[in-house]
Amino acid sequence: MPQLPAPDYPADVRARLEADGREIVARYPDSRSALLPLLHLVQAEEGYVSRTGMAFCADLLELTTAEVTAVATFYSMYRRKPSGDYQVGVCTNTLCAVMGGDAIFDELKRHLGVGNNETTDDGKVTLEHIECNAACDFAPVVMVNWEFFDNQTPESAKRLVDDLRSGREVEPTRGAPLCTYQETARILAGFPDQRPGAVAATGGAGPASLAGLRLAKGETPGARVVHPRGEGPKDRPQPGSEHLSSHDAPQQTSASDPAHPAGPAAEEGE
């Protein structure tokens, strides 16, 4: 049976979304270019891109719903069904997988009682595997609403999701303070993050990522001792040579365990 037309938003919600949507459209010389941030806008409203949201985008941009659907289904960042307040993505690409990402993902599925792209009964956590978090220096990596939690283990990852579900404050290893998925979607739509200190928080690369940049600038990297994951250094590293990735300076857990902090100690460019 053909689907009935998607219901419209309530009048007050539509008026608010139209005002925000027109602000987004005005940023672009071609209105069609505003489709991606508009999809984030409707995702911020409902927590996923619904048929109502796609119809709204189509109306505002004078596109067909088929054109909007083609874009919304192409990108994995747009959810097509209700999801949790916190999107917990475990990198299972090659490096993270061999460093423990597969074990983390399997343990979280068991611990949460959900499968890939499924949400816990309390609506707090949606679990998914991610092909690459672009943070190989700190493998295995977990992301929550696109914020980094580096050098994870199955135990630290379980503590992380337990903290999220219980409402305890969780701080990413790098980047801005954590917020809900809907709040994240509104930021991705291009609206300012109004939380105190959020914009000033850094998400810069760590020393491992900056090694190539330093070499390109002609800087001589300090000597460092590389040791296998799980073993400590045999010699004290030279000043400035610390390389806080799990490949040569193992970090047993993420910042979710204050007793075992992880992540870069330097700001980008330092």
Side-chain angles (χ1 to χ4, degrees):
M1 292 291 292
Q3 280 189 315
L4 294 173
D8 200 356
Y9 288 117
D12 60 328
V13 174
R14 184 176 179 94
R16 173 165 46 78
L17 289 176
E18 281 186 350
D20 287 342
R22 297 195 187 286
E23 181 179 337
I24 292 172
V25 172
R27 301 171 190 161
Y28 299 91
D30 183 346
S31 63
R32 188 188 184 104
S33 300
L35 179 54
L36 295 182
L38 279 177
L39 287 169
H40 282 300
L41 177 66
V42 297
Q43 187 156 253
E45 185 64 33
E46 300 182 81
Y48 72 110
V49 178
S50 66
R51 292 175 58 233
T52 297
M54 287 190 284
F56 169 82
C57 293
D59 289 345
L60 198 63
L61 299 177
E62 298 182 351
L63 300 174
T64 66
T65 53
E67 289 174 307
V68 175
T69 301
V71 174
T73 56
F74 181 81
Y75 294 104
S76 60
M77 60 189 174
Y78 300 121
R79 309 299 178 190
R80 295 301 313 283
K81 61 182 181 180
S83 56
D85 292 334
Y86 300 99
Q87 305 284 323
V88 176
V90 182
C91 185
T92 56
N93 213 338
T94 306
L95 184 56
C96 275
V98 300
M99 296 294 286
D102 283 345
I104 291 172
F105 188 57
D106 289 341
E107 186 64 17
L108 287 183
K109 285 192 293 185
R110 185 200 63 77
H111 184 66
L112 295 172
V114 298
N116 185 45
N117 281 326
E118 293 182 356
T119 303
T120 53
D121 291 339
D122 57 10
K124 293 291 185 181
V125 170
T126 296
L127 180 66
E128 64 174 341
H129 75 82
I130 295 177
E131 286 301 318
C132 184
N133 280 328
C136 302
D137 307 336
F138 306 104
V141 175
V142 173
M143 293 195 90
V144 181
N145 295 349
W146 314 121
E147 301 295 348
F148 287 101
F149 291 81
D150 300 327
N151 297 299
Q152 291 289 294
T153 68
E155 290 305 314
S156 70
K158 285 191 294 185
R159 285 193 294 272
L160 171 61
V161 296
D162 287 347
D163 286 346
L164 293 172
R165 297 182 74 184
S166 65
R168 288 190 287 270
E169 184 176 351
V170 172
E171 293 185 6
T173 311
R174 295 174 281 140
L178 202 61
C179 59
T180 68
Y181 187 64
Q182 286 176 259
E183 291 169 332
T184 302
R186 184 168 176 83
I187 296 168
L188 291 174
F191 292 96
D193 189 342
Q194 303 290 351
R195 295 173 299 153
V199 175
T202 63
S209 304
L210 296 173
L213 176 62
R214 292 194 176 99
L215 288 172
K217 289 180 175 180
E219 299 174 12
T220 303
R224 60 183 173 84
V225 178
V226 178
H227 25 251
R229 181 176 174 82
E231 295 183 10
K234 295 180 175 60
D235 299 300
R236 183 178 296 276
Q238 297 299 315
S241 66
E242 289 155 276
H243 180 78
L244 298 180
S245 82
S246 54
H247 306 287
D248 60 359
Q251 306 298 306
Q252 296 302 322
T253 61
S254 76
S256 61
D257 181 359
H260 299 87
E267 302 292 344
E268 184 173 3
E270 290 185 354

